[in-house]
Amino acid sequence: MLVPYKVLLPEYVFESKNEEEIWSKTLKYMESYPHYHVIRIENKFAICERILKEDNNG
């Protein structure tokens, strides 16, 4: 298993109590981290896995 990456989420993500809105805000925030895929949210962190960039040279 790969080691997950943790990205600290800003406080505004958690201003809503609705889990769907928290998830939506998290995904919007994570657009600034294009090589990470969010697996889950845990203790104000987005738990992610890194997406490896494919090399087109062979």
Side-chain angles (χ1 to χ4, degrees):
M1 180 177 164
L2 297 174
V3 175
Y5 291 83
K6 290 184 177 182
V7 177
L8 181 62
L9 297 170
E11 286 296 321
Y12 76 83
V13 169
F14 300 99
E15 288 175 355
S16 174
K17 300 300 180 197
N18 180 335
E19 286 185 35
E20 208 171 290
E21 190 174 335
I22 291 171
W23 185 256
S24 177
K25 287 180 180 181
T26 297
L27 293 180
K28 182 71 175 168
Y29 177 76
M30 292 302 295
E31 287 177 2
S32 61
Y33 295 86
H35 294 5
Y36 291 141
H37 171 73
V38 180
I39 300 170
R40 66 182 182 278
I41 300 170
E42 184 178 292
N43 298 328
K44 300 201 177 192
F45 287 91
I47 309 301
C48 307
E49 57 184 16
R50 182 151 169 94
I51 300 169
L52 299 176
K53 186 177 179 182
E54 290 185 21
D55 186 9
N56 295 329
N57 294 332

